[in-house]
């Protein structure tokens, strides 16, 4: 299981480092097959890396260029240098707040992969799409455009996180059954896109109001390899409870 702890803008660098130290201690002997990735804000990455040993560090975004006239942005090269292994891309909050398009997210994805890190590509439909019944075609378009031009050599470095936008806190979770339907659709897409065997390599996560109470139910089906957790991952005790619930899964 892959548990990605998206800290969003909830924690300062020192707070995140403290959280990582607590979770590292709690993980001793309890982690099972779980890989935990903590994604702080940019200024927190170095302290987080120092605090982590089993836990891997990820960023919440990056630019698609290596250097240049981009005030306020951060390059994949810099993120690699401070020890990031994963980069979250195309989170619905970035799409909504900063107008990120599939094309823009795709450019970032290529840059991250070329720099030897893994992408966590977020896809998910707004409520209007769910109500309309066109979720499947919406997700396929996000996948097609988000992964455009990415060769199968990179399939092992691709993680897809399915997060229905309306399910993200404070929205309230999807049902596991509906999440599994979309997770299977994502898997089918990946097999078509990268080939039957290599298309099995990318991991598929669910995210949206995950907590210690519902974590297990969202990992019951083998279409799901892990969870992208926001709010509930910003507290060490709650993150450890989630890990505990899924530690014996795959
Ligand atoms: P949430 O956020 O767990 O707080 O719903 C998930 C996410 O947006 O990554």
């Amino acid at each position: 299981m892959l548990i990605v702890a998206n800290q969003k803008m909830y924690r300062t660098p020192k707070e995140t480092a403290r959280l990582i130290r607590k979770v590292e201690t709690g993980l001793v002997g309890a982690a099972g097959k779980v890989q935990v990735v903590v994604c702080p804000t940019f200024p927190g990455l170095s302290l987080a890396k120092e605090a982590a040993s089993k836990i891997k560090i990820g960023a919440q975004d990056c630019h698609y260029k290596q250097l240049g006239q981009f005030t306020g942005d951060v390059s994949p090269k810099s993120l690699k240098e401070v020890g990031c292994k994963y980069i979250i891309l195309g989170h619905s909050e970035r799409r909504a707040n900063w107008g990120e398009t599939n094309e823009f997210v795709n450019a970032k994805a290529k840059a991250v992969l070329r720099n030897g890190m893994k992408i966590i590509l977020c896809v998910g439909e707004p409520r209007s799409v769910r109500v309309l019944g066109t979720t499947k075609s919406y997700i396929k378009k996000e996948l097609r455009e988000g992964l455009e031009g990415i060769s199968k050599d990179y399939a092992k470095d691709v993680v897809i996180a399915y997060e229905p936008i309306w399910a993200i806190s404070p929205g309230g979770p999807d049902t596991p059954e509906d999440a599994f339907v979309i997770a299977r659709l994502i898997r089918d897409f990946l097999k078509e896109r990268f080939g039957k065997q290599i298309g099995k390599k990318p991991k598929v996560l669910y995210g949206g109001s995950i907590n210690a109470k519902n974590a297990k139910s969202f990992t019951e089906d083998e279409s799901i390899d892990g969870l992208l957790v926001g709010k509930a991952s910003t507290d060490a005790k709650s993150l450890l409870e989630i890990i505990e619930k899924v530690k014996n899964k795959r």
Side-chain angles (χ1 to χ4, degrees), residues 4-8 10 88 91-93 122 161 163-165 167-173 206-211 228-234:
V4 180
N6 178 8
Q7 301 296 288
K8 306 197 181 192
Y10 281 112
I88 298 173
H91 191 282
S92 61
E93 284 152 16
C122 299
E163 297 202 305
I165 298 171
I168 292 172
S169 311
Y206 168 78
S209 296
I210 286 292
N211 55 43
L228 174 52
V229 191
K231 191 81 175 74
S233 78
T234 61

